[in-house]
Amino acid sequence: MSTTTSPFVLLPSSHVRASETFPAAPQIEQELRQKVRGEVRFDAGSRALYATDASNYRHVPIGVVIPLDEDDVVATVEICRRYEAPLLSRGGGTSLAGQGCNFAVILDFSKYMNKMGPVDPASHTVHVQPGIVLDRVREAAEKFALTYAPDPATHSRCTIGGMIGNNSCGVHALMGGKTVDNIQSLDLLLYDGTRLTVGPTSDEELAQRIAAGGRVGEIYAELKRIRDTYADLVRARFPNIPRRVSGYNLDELLPENHFNVARALVGSEGTCAVILGATLNLVQSPQFRTLVGVGFADVFLAADHVPLILTHKPIGLEGLDGLLLDSLRRKHKALDDIALLPEGEGFLLVEFGGATQQEADDRARSFALAIKSVAVPRIYNHEEAHRVWTVRESGLGATAFVPGRKTGWEGWEDAAVDPTQLGSYLRHLYALMKEFDYHSPMYGHFGQGCVHMRLSFDLETSEGILKFREFMDRATDIAMAHGGSISGEHGDGQARGALLPKMFGPELMEAFRAFKRIWDPTGRMNPNKLIDAHEPHEDLRLGADYKPWQPKTHFAFAEDSGSFAQATLRCVGVGACRKKDAGTMCPSYMATNEELHSTRGRAHMLWELMQEEVLPDQWKNEQVREALDLCLSCKACKSECPVSVDMATYKAEFLAHHYEGKSRPLAHYAFGRIDRWAQLASYAPGLVNFINNAPVIRSVLKSLLHIHPNRTFPRFARAFTPDRRVAADPRHYPERRGSTAKEAPEVFLWADTFNNYFHPVTMRAAHQVLTGAGFRVSTTNQHLCCGRPLYDFGMLDTAKKYLLKVLDALTPQLAAGTPIVVLEPSCASVFRDELTNLLPNDPRAAKLSSQVFLLSEFLVRYAPDYKPPKIDQKIVVHGHCHHKATMGMQDEMKLLRATGAEVELLDSGCCGMAGPFGFEEDKYEVSQTLGERVLLPAVRNNTGAIIVSDGFSCCEQITQNTTARPKHLAEVLAQTDH
């Protein structure tokens, strides 16, 4: 469509604002450093780090304060007030409407102000600080069969303060309401220094507060005036729907709502006050739950049936469409989980609760029986339900950066209507999307009429940006025609703030402005968000002048059109890397609780580097190097991040260029070329080990290489030499009896540096297992290495040479299609991942990548009749990061469980050693913190168990901190004793 008749004009892009400075910033920083005991950061790197949230917008802040306690917050506000500097409160930084970034001094509460008081089971309340993560509250409440009802998909990392700011909802708002419905009181600090606690107010209390006079009396008097002036208009114009989040909650000041000042401030997005604490209302948590998936022909039919399904009283009712599933398939994510959904192209997830499992199951069965005449239901067990919920929670990330599709962006991702209007609303919106040639999956809280999307807006051309703005205007008309709200969960911020007059009209807009003036008369609290907001197409992170630096790279970045800049744009800010309770991503954040050391933080830093505005010196920038320094290159982000940010690759690329033309630290050569030193040491390992452990030499080596004193050097060994007399053993394969070793199928056993020169017993065990399984095992006589340690230091030119040598040496195996078994997971991941990224045009690379298998993968695929030995001991398994991220643990677990043993797979994340990382003196504390998070206590608590860990680094972390001697899978299957 043409934009020549558009009533909108193109406004300044975010890049104009990137150069904006606050004249008094140096003085503010100096005074803050004198008064604040927490952290004060006004450097370029920190400002770049907080320049955006999960939205389309970018505002480089004045500076960042990470307060230690309330006194720090009071001091920060007092100093900012003296210089009239704007302020912004921030929690998890996952806001989608732009309210989490601004040209302001940012208060980040998430690192330190994250405490909570005891749960009061009698009153069903708990008092918390604003930086506490929602899941920590829910975990504490569940001990009393209580919960905090609002639970957005970001529950593992969103903070209560952010939820209050945005009026968050989530799946179980259907059961217990939005955040606004679950707030008892708020402890506030105003920009002028006033402190007060607010909540529901009786007529007598209101009169007393007004009569007391002063600043507090003035606030309550003005709030009463707004209520009395606008009460009828609020009742008439506020949509009476479950998910009205837009605007200020003036309805909470009405007499029928007990003049609840705390709830009136929920959803104010930090534009009125700083929240120092909150008392939350908790609700009963159904201890038994059953999930039913229902499949429809399309998402519109699914929406049509929501009112009927609500009559069955579910505690959760979510929807998603087939396009969301297709997006996940294209990204090769959650494929097994997707298969659990019933047939159809539109799906509803309907959850029932009960006092007993029987009660929950009966409700689910009754519903499934009632719905099966119009749809396809499927009832899930607990494990299946968890997997299906994972599919739903992946929605935001799954819909961005889908291969073969235009990028999806937020903007119109949050409108809500009455559930009775949902089918009609979606059909009208879909027609508008077709007119504008936009696409997006549809998913979200169908039970309350709130649907999320990420539309394929063009935010990089003038025409596309104006088209985006016109779509927003017309989509608002559709929502209004259906009696809806332009925001049903994520807030207004900048994405929808300028659209509020269409929804509320001029009189209520004036009431909103008056409400803000009561609390913030000088307009310094998160200015130009929600009220008097900048236009939705202003201050874009991209914009018509978006022209990032496009440097030449070592890696191909084929999935990002060969562009490192585009790769760094992948991060959409949802903050899945900031979780701390499960999974592997992001280890360094789990240890430090620091945005700089999250995958998101590093991605934002690299993106800013590509803009060449805030961060100077291109590849030589030291702050970016420091941000990457604590990255353990675990590769977990590539699989666990919803948009597959690959920080291990980004780090290697950056370091390769960072050290071009200058000398590297000695440790880079010592650790990066460990294969060479190990090869040499293997000729006389006893002598080398003696020298390395001589007290004086050991101290000198550790000092030169900056190795922590508590670390011990791994012991070298003679290289593995296979027993050529061992032939294929046909005992496991009766049909092969009588075959000769020459007739047995061949497999090539890769002699990696770690197992070959440090732990050859694993090589021998693998050789034994493979021959026993009926295979003829070959290996190489020459020194080969995939170069795994080289990537940690960005030594990519050398890594390419290593890989080319490997391809040349394996020419016969590649030609014959011989399977190649690799025992070290980090080496296997080189062949599966880095190899084709570094040598994309060498057909041998793709061939080798497809022929490489871990031992477990090979046995499951090529030896389906293989039977592992019977084992009576408990087996505790710690998966290597690269194993989990690149190959998955399914085959390993299948083989170990086939032994008949009790097998426990630890959710232990990264062990913390990560090659040379855990040896480095300045990283030792982080390494130990990660090890002690789950892995090391689990090892100590299972003294009689077999500890299985295939990664050499993981084994080092275990042996250097416990008395256990972990085994490789090969040793377990070979029943090798030591």
Side-chain angles (χ1 to χ4, degrees):
M1 59 168 285
S2 171
T3 60
T4 55
T5 59
S6 172
F8 308 108
V9 297
L10 198 65
L11 294 164
S13 77
S14 61
H15 298 133
V16 173
R17 293 190 168 272
S19 60
E20 192 172 357
T21 59
F22 194 78
Q27 293 94 322
I28 295 173
E29 179 184 9
Q30 182 179 8
E31 292 194 29
L32 285 171
R33 291 191 182 281
Q34 292 172 352
K35 296 287 184 66
V36 171
R37 293 182 300 124
E39 299 171 31
V40 177
R41 304 176 181 177
F42 278 56
D43 59 280
S46 297
R47 293 171 62 234
L49 198 63
Y50 287 81
T52 191
D53 46 15
S55 72
N56 296 333
Y57 303 100
R58 175 179 180 240
H59 298 268
V60 179
I62 298 168
V64 179
V65 176
I66 305 178
L68 192 64
D69 52 24
E70 289 186 3
D71 289 342
D72 276 357
V73 181
V74 171
T76 300
V77 172
E78 190 276 326
I79 292 167
C80 286
R81 179 172 67 249
R82 192 180 315 142
Y83 291 96
E84 299 184 347
L87 269 172
L88 165 62
S89 297
R90 177 163 158 148
T94 57
S95 295
L96 286 153
Q99 60 268 61
C101 59
N102 211 330
F103 181 64
V105 174
I106 292 179
L107 282 162
D108 182 349
F109 291 95
S110 64
K111 187 172 183 180
Y112 298 121
M113 292 188 65
N114 51 21
K115 311 299 188 298
M116 65 183 295
V119 172
D120 185 340
S123 65
H124 289 194
T125 60
V126 63
H127 189 270
V128 302
Q129 291 184 316
I132 192 167
V133 168
L134 170 61
D135 273 358
R136 304 293 84 77
V137 176
R138 296 169 69 199
E139 290 161 1
E142 283 291 351
K143 296 175 182 177
F144 303 94
L146 300 172
T147 191
Y148 192 62
D151 59 341
T154 54
H155 54 83
S156 63
R157 62 269 192 194
C158 69
T159 66
I160 293 294
M163 292 179 68
I164 294 170
N166 296 345
N167 197 2
S168 297
C169 306
V171 173
H172 293 104
L174 182 65
M175 174 182 71
K178 307 184 293 291
T179 298
V180 68
D181 304 311
N182 294 276
I183 293 295
Q184 177 70 26
S185 64
L186 295 177
D187 306 322
L188 306 177
L189 171 64
L190 307 189
Y191 191 81
D192 63 11
T194 302
R195 293 185 67 169
L196 69 163
T197 296
V198 298
T201 315
S202 67
D203 290 342
E204 182 181 2
E205 289 172 324
L206 178 58
Q208 290 174 349
R209 295 198 177 192
I210 293 173
R215 179 72 171 107
V216 174
E218 173 190 311
I219 289 171
Y220 277 86
E222 187 59 15
L223 288 173
K224 180 178 182 298
R225 184 194 69 78
I226 289 177
R227 180 198 68 180
D228 295 344
T229 303
Y230 296 101
D232 291 340
L233 196 57
V234 167
R235 293 187 182 102
R237 289 296 299 264
F238 272 47
N240 185 23
I241 61 175
R243 288 292 190 98
R244 192 278 310 158
V245 168
S246 284
Y248 289 127
N249 295 331
L250 301 186
D251 55 327
E252 294 292 346
L253 298 178
L254 298 176
E256 56 266 35
N257 292 326
H258 310 292
F259 202 83
N260 197 316
V261 180
R263 294 184 177 183
L265 285 165
V266 172
S268 57
E269 301 179 2
T271 61
C272 296
V274 176
I275 297 170
L276 295 175
T279 300
L280 311 179
N281 289 327
L282 306 173
V283 300
Q284 288 291 337
S285 173
Q287 296 300 289
F288 301 94
R289 306 182 184 201
T290 305
L291 181 67
V292 183
V294 188
F296 295 85
D298 59 47
V299 72
F300 308 113
L301 285 172
D304 290 338
H305 284 84
V306 164
L308 172 64
I309 294 173
L310 288 173
T311 64
H312 290 265
K313 306 297 183 185
I315 62 173
L317 176 48
E318 297 293 287
L320 57 152
D321 67 0
L323 195 56
L324 174 62
L325 304 188
D326 184 56
S327 298
L328 287 167
R329 291 187 189 102
R330 287 174 179 242
K331 299 171 87 164
H332 305 289
K333 289 184 178 291
L335 299 181
D336 292 337
D337 302 335
I338 291 171
L340 293 171
L341 289 167
E343 295 180 8
E345 289 298 317
F347 309 91
L348 295 176
L349 305 180
V350 191
E351 187 176 60
F352 295 92
T356 64
Q357 191 60 58
Q358 182 68 43
E359 183 181 353
D361 290 345
D362 288 346
R363 290 176 177 174
R365 281 192 289 265
S366 175
F367 163 72
L369 185 64
I371 201 71
K372 74 175 187 177
S373 62
V374 294
V376 181
R378 179 173 178 179
I379 300 176
Y380 301 110
N381 61 36
H382 287 298
E383 187 269 336
E384 291 171 335
H386 175 75
R387 291 164 59 191
V388 172
W389 279 127
T390 300
V391 173
R392 162 60 190 90
E393 291 179 356
S394 70
L396 194 156
T399 55
F401 298 99
V402 179
R405 291 210 186 114
K406 295 179 180 177
T407 300
W409 301 101
E410 68 88 12
W412 193 260
E413 87 298 337
D414 193 34
V417 297
D418 190 277
T420 61
Q421 297 289 309
L422 186 57
S424 175
Y425 164 71
L426 291 182
R427 288 181 176 91
H428 281 82
L429 186 65
Y430 184 73
L432 183 67
M433 289 164 59
K434 288 188 69 175
E435 178 185 342
F436 277 71
D437 193 27
Y438 292 152
H439 71 261
S440 171
M442 298 179 177
Y443 60 97
H445 315 294
F446 280 36
Q448 293 193 310
C450 181
V451 180
H452 299 320
M453 302 178 182
R454 285 189 77 87
L455 288 150
S456 54
F457 300 128
D458 168 14
L459 302 180
E460 296 186 44
T461 68
S462 299
E463 181 181 9
I465 292 168
L466 293 177
K467 182 179 172 182
F468 152 69
R469 180 62 181 88
E470 185 171 347
F471 176 88
M472 294 283 288
D473 202 57
R474 292 179 58 185
T476 299
D477 293 338
I478 292 174
M480 296 304 95
H482 287 83
S485 170
I486 59 176
S487 177
E489 177 170 27
H490 298 156
D492 300 312
Q494 185 167 348
R496 290 170 287 275
L499 299 169
L500 288 176
K502 296 192 76 167
M503 179 174 171
F504 290 104
E507 292 177 274
L508 280 179
M509 290 306 298
E510 183 49 44
F512 290 158
R513 291 188 184 93
F515 183 82
K516 176 174 169 61
R517 283 196 298 270
I518 293 171
W519 307 99
D520 179 32
T522 61
R524 298 297 176 181
M525 299 295 293
N526 205 10
N528 304 118
K529 306 290 182 178
L530 196 153
I531 297 301
D532 298 323
H534 290 168
E535 284 285 337
H537 59 306
E538 188 178 3
D539 309 317
L540 293 171
R541 189 179 177 200
L542 301 183
D545 61 345
Y546 176 63
K547 291 181 176 58
W549 177 40
Q550 298 284 1
K552 185 179 178 180
T553 58
H554 293 273
F555 288 108
F557 295 104
E559 293 182 355
D560 297 292
S561 303
S563 168
F564 187 73
Q566 186 169 320
T568 65
L569 184 59
R570 275 180 176 268
C571 179
V572 293
V574 298
C577 48
R578 285 173 58 101
K579 61 180 172 55
K580 301 183 68 174
D581 54 344
T584 303
M585 177 184 70
C586 171
S588 47
Y589 179 80
M590 290 182 180
T592 66
N593 207 28
E594 169 60 61
E595 175 73 11
L596 179 68
H597 299 138
S598 68
T599 303
R600 180 180 70 179
R602 296 182 182 112
H604 283 176
M605 289 281 278
L606 287 166
W607 186 88
E608 288 287 348
L609 188 71
M610 297 298 105
Q611 310 318 303
E612 301 187 282
E613 295 171 353
V614 181
L615 298 175
D617 303 329
Q618 298 183 331
W619 296 120
K620 304 302 180 183
N621 187 280
E622 279 296 322
Q623 286 194 295
V624 175
R625 186 197 63 77
E626 290 171 8
L628 294 168
D629 194 42
L630 283 189
C631 172
L632 288 88
S633 298
C634 69
K635 301 179 80 71
C637 49
K638 188 167 184 178
S639 61
E640 291 185 29
C641 171
V643 290
S644 300
V645 168
D646 186 2
M647 194 52 61
T649 297
Y650 303 172
K651 175 184 177 180
E653 186 69 53
F654 177 87
L655 292 177
H657 298 285
H658 185 78
Y659 286 105
E660 284 175 348
K662 67 177 184 179
S663 60
R664 290 172 170 271
L666 181 61
H668 286 208
Y669 300 102
F671 291 124
R673 302 295 296 270
I674 186 63
D675 68 294
R676 294 298 187 192
W677 317 131
Q679 181 194 19
L680 293 173
S682 70
Y683 295 115
L687 176 61
V688 175
N689 292 331
F690 175 79
I691 294 172
N692 282 349
N693 288 283
V696 175
I697 297 176
R698 182 178 58 208
S699 297
V700 171
L701 284 174
K702 287 185 176 183
S703 177
L704 287 173
L705 300 178
H706 302 288
I707 295 174
H708 195 276
N710 290 353
R711 290 301 187 196
T712 57
F713 292 113
R715 300 185 69 82
F716 295 101
R718 290 196 179 276
F720 163 70
T721 303
D723 186 347
R724 303 294 182 184
R725 295 171 297 177
V726 176
D729 186 343
R731 284 176 296 175
H732 295 284
Y733 300 90
E735 71 277 10
R736 290 184 186 169
R737 284 191 181 129
S739 65
T740 66
K742 187 175 182 181
E743 293 171 334
E746 182 182 2
V747 60
F748 185 89
L749 181 59
W750 175 260
D752 67 90
T753 293
F754 305 108
N755 286 303
N756 195 30
Y757 298 127
F758 290 97
H759 200 205
V761 65
T762 302
M763 295 288 293
R764 287 193 290 273
H767 195 280
Q768 177 185 330
V769 170
L770 291 169
T771 54
F775 295 92
R776 178 165 50 92
V777 183
S778 62
T779 187
T780 182
N781 292 322
Q782 63 175 304
H783 172 78
L784 296 175
C785 180
C786 69
R788 173 77 264 166
L790 296 169
Y791 302 94
D792 296 333
F793 303 108
M795 301 169 78
L796 298 183
D797 286 330
T798 304
K800 289 178 190 176
K801 294 176 183 177
Y802 274 39
L803 292 175
L804 287 171
K805 182 180 178 182
V806 168
L807 292 174
D808 290 340
L810 296 183
T811 296
Q813 287 76 23
L814 295 178
T818 304
I820 299 167
V821 171
V822 179
L823 301 178
E824 169 60 42
S826 63
C827 297
S829 73
V830 169
F831 296 135
R832 291 279 185 91
D833 189 359
E834 283 89 352
L835 172 62
T836 53
N837 204 352
L838 275 177
L839 303 173
N841 300 317
D842 192 326
R844 299 175 302 169
K847 196 161 177 54
L848 175 56
S849 179
S850 67
Q851 288 178 220
V852 161
F853 302 92
L854 293 174
L855 178 62
S856 56
E857 293 179 306
F858 175 79
L859 291 173
V860 169
R861 178 168 175 176
Y862 285 91
D865 297 326
Y866 172 76
K867 292 180 174 56
K870 294 300 178 182
I871 297 176
D872 293 332
Q873 285 177 271
K874 179 182 179 181
I875 298 175
V876 176
V877 184
H878 167 73
H880 187 284
C881 294
H882 293 189
H883 193 159
K884 291 179 285 190
T886 309
M887 283 74 71
M889 296 294 295
Q890 300 90 334
D891 293 334
E892 183 121 344
M893 296 303 293
K894 180 179 180 179
L895 287 174
L896 288 171
R897 286 179 175 136
T899 65
E902 174 193 350
V903 184
E904 178 186 2
L905 176 62
L906 299 176
D907 187 3
S908 46
C910 179
C911 71
M913 188 62 84
F917 183 94
F919 283 88
E920 296 179 50
E921 190 167 19
D922 59 343
K923 299 179 178 68
Y924 177 78
E925 184 177 347
V926 169
S927 173
Q928 290 299 102
T929 299
L930 292 173
E932 295 292 350
R933 196 178 70 86
V934 174
L935 174 60
L936 298 178
V939 171
R940 298 185 190 109
N941 291 334
N942 286 277
T943 54
I946 298 172
I947 308 298
V948 176
S949 185
D950 293 348
F952 177 78
S953 293
C954 307
C955 291
E956 279 297 306
Q957 182 75 307
I958 294 170
T959 57
Q960 296 209 18
N961 286 279
T962 73
T963 58
R965 194 306 197 175
K967 292 185 176 184
H968 191 282
L969 172 70
E971 298 174 79
V972 176
L973 298 182
Q975 293 187 309
T976 303
D977 296 320
H978 306 287

